[in-house]
Amino acid sequence: MSPRISALTLALLLTAAPASANVPGADAGNCATSLIGTPLTVPKYPAATQKILDEDIAIAEAALRIAPDREDSHIWYGRRLDYAGRICDAVDAFSAGIEQFPNSYKLYRFRARDLTRARRFKEALADYKKALELMGDTPDSFEPDGMPNPIGLTISTYRGNILYYHAQTSFATGDYPAVVDGMAKSLAVMPDFTRDDMHIGTAYWTYLAYRKMGQHDKARAAINEIEPGLKLIENFTYYQAVQIMQGRLDPAGFKDTRDSTIKFAIAMERRFAGDERGAKALLTEIVRENPQGHWPSEAELAHPDRKAY
């Protein structure tokens, strides 16, 4: 579903579709208010970007109208809504797909990701578990990227992503042992050529989980495995964040960044160092400056002592 499709082709697709593929209204989660009560909105993009996003949604909707009996039609409609920041609409779209394809581990995987973004954490975790159950011993495969990295190389797989995002979502509920276990399992199934990129992300969340459990030596060991000078494909900001955790980069050098991954790392380092006032201020800033908030920061502000183990 290329964003480069011509206007004529788009028009033909839309007019050829005999049935409506509209999803229910955006009442599929907490998409209006963050966990700390701040308003959430659909992001506003530059006009050229918004045009591409809108065309992609229109194309995906037309494809769904034409071929509603195809699993991919439901997957890409939901994913295009997600890319445009319409998270709760995406949840509804994936839910409609699951009604038709109840054994689709792919639909459960994608709905779970948006349930997390809709702050329905327990339901998201249940969806990830269902996805793994349905996947069973099906051979793993690369997950197509709707927003490719600069070299156009897909680096993540379905099983790896299900394990990774289940672990990441467990951070929201305070199940830190599940974070550690899931991140290790995710890294273990990733292809060798993606290992450096994937190891950085898993180390980031493993470190935070161990620190939350007070197991500081294990936390330090998790990030000390990340060496300087890695040649990465896409996880550059995670790499900077991990180096801040390691003490190799000075947080002061990122005072003007708006990257949530980096700022969250700095905020958590403040919290672990006992600077509660500074941590809360930065966590709040992260939530407020993002139109759709930032659920890890929200969880730390709303329920800093959460524990589910």
Side-chain angles (χ1 to χ4, degrees):
M1 296 184 186
S2 168
R4 305 284 190 267
I5 193 166
S6 71
L8 175 60
T9 303
L10 173 60
L12 290 172
L13 277 169
L14 294 173
T15 56
S20 174
N22 289 336
V23 296
D27 188 26
N30 194 9
C31 290
T33 309
S34 75
L35 297 179
I36 61 170
T38 55
L40 303 177
T41 61
V42 174
K44 293 181 179 179
Y45 300 98
T49 301
Q50 189 63 58
K51 182 175 183 292
I52 291 173
L53 291 169
D54 290 343
E55 286 183 354
D56 281 346
I57 292 172
I59 293 165
E61 184 175 8
L64 179 57
R65 290 172 176 170
I66 294 167
D69 56 342
R70 289 180 57 89
E71 178 190 38
D72 273 358
S73 297
H74 295 272
I75 288 173
W76 280 106
Y77 185 40
R79 293 188 74 180
R80 293 305 182 190
L81 290 167
D82 170 280
Y83 294 146
R86 294 169 56 183
I87 302 304
C88 284
D89 284 340
V91 170
D92 285 335
F94 292 129
S95 295
I98 288 171
E99 287 184 11
Q100 190 162 347
F101 297 93
N103 295 320
S104 169
Y105 67 84
K106 296 177 182 179
L107 281 164
Y108 274 101
R109 172 267 185 270
F110 289 118
R111 186 175 72 171
R113 185 71 175 128
D114 282 314
L115 283 170
T116 298
R117 291 168 172 160
R119 294 144 182 88
R120 292 167 60 179
F121 303 121
K122 291 182 179 179
E123 292 168 81
L125 291 169
D127 266 14
Y128 283 126
K129 290 179 180 178
K130 183 68 172 179
L132 278 177
E133 175 189 321
L134 290 170
M135 191 174 187
D137 58 1
T138 302
D140 203 2
S141 60
F142 285 100
E143 190 175 283
D145 283 326
M147 300 177 70
N149 56 44
I151 64 174
L153 183 64
T154 300
I155 69 171
S156 59
T157 68
Y158 279 104
R159 192 181 305 278
N161 276 345
I162 292 168
L163 290 165
Y164 178 89
Y165 287 118
H166 178 276
Q168 187 190 68
T169 302
S170 296
F171 186 83
T173 64
D175 191 352
Y176 305 118
V179 177
V180 172
D181 180 64
M183 289 296 166
K185 288 178 177 177
S186 173
L187 183 62
V189 302
M190 290 297 183
D192 287 342
F193 80 92
T194 72
R195 187 159 298 275
D196 284 350
D197 273 271
M198 296 297 106
H199 196 182
I200 292 167
T202 59
Y204 178 98
W205 290 103
T206 300
Y207 170 83
L208 290 174
Y210 274 134
R211 290 299 303 264
K212 292 288 287 185
M213 290 189 286
Q215 299 180 31
H216 306 306
D217 289 343
K218 290 183 177 179
R220 185 61 52 191
I223 57 170
N224 282 348
E225 295 177 358
I226 305 301
E227 300 176 353
L230 294 180
K231 295 181 179 180
L232 304 177
I233 299 172
E234 61 182 43
N235 281 337
F236 304 106
T237 55
Y238 264 118
Y239 194 24
Q240 290 177 310
V242 167
Q243 290 181 89
I244 290 170
M245 294 167 167
Q246 292 173 324
R248 288 183 174 142
L249 292 179
D250 185 350
F254 297 88
K255 60 183 179 64
D256 296 323
T257 186
R258 289 179 63 90
D259 183 85
S260 297
T261 299
I262 293 173
K263 293 180 78 166
F264 186 65
I266 296 171
M268 294 305 291
E269 287 300 289
R270 290 180 181 179
R271 171 158 282 175
F272 297 142
D275 180 10
E276 193 61 19
R277 181 177 179 180
K280 287 182 177 179
L282 187 52
L283 291 168
T284 302
E285 180 180 303
I286 296 169
V287 176
R288 291 185 179 278
E289 72 184 9
N290 285 285
Q292 295 185 310
H294 183 250
W295 66 258
S297 296
E298 295 167 36
E300 282 297 308
L301 288 165
H303 308 289
D305 298 320
R306 64 198 182 283
K307 187 175 179 180
Y309 60 96

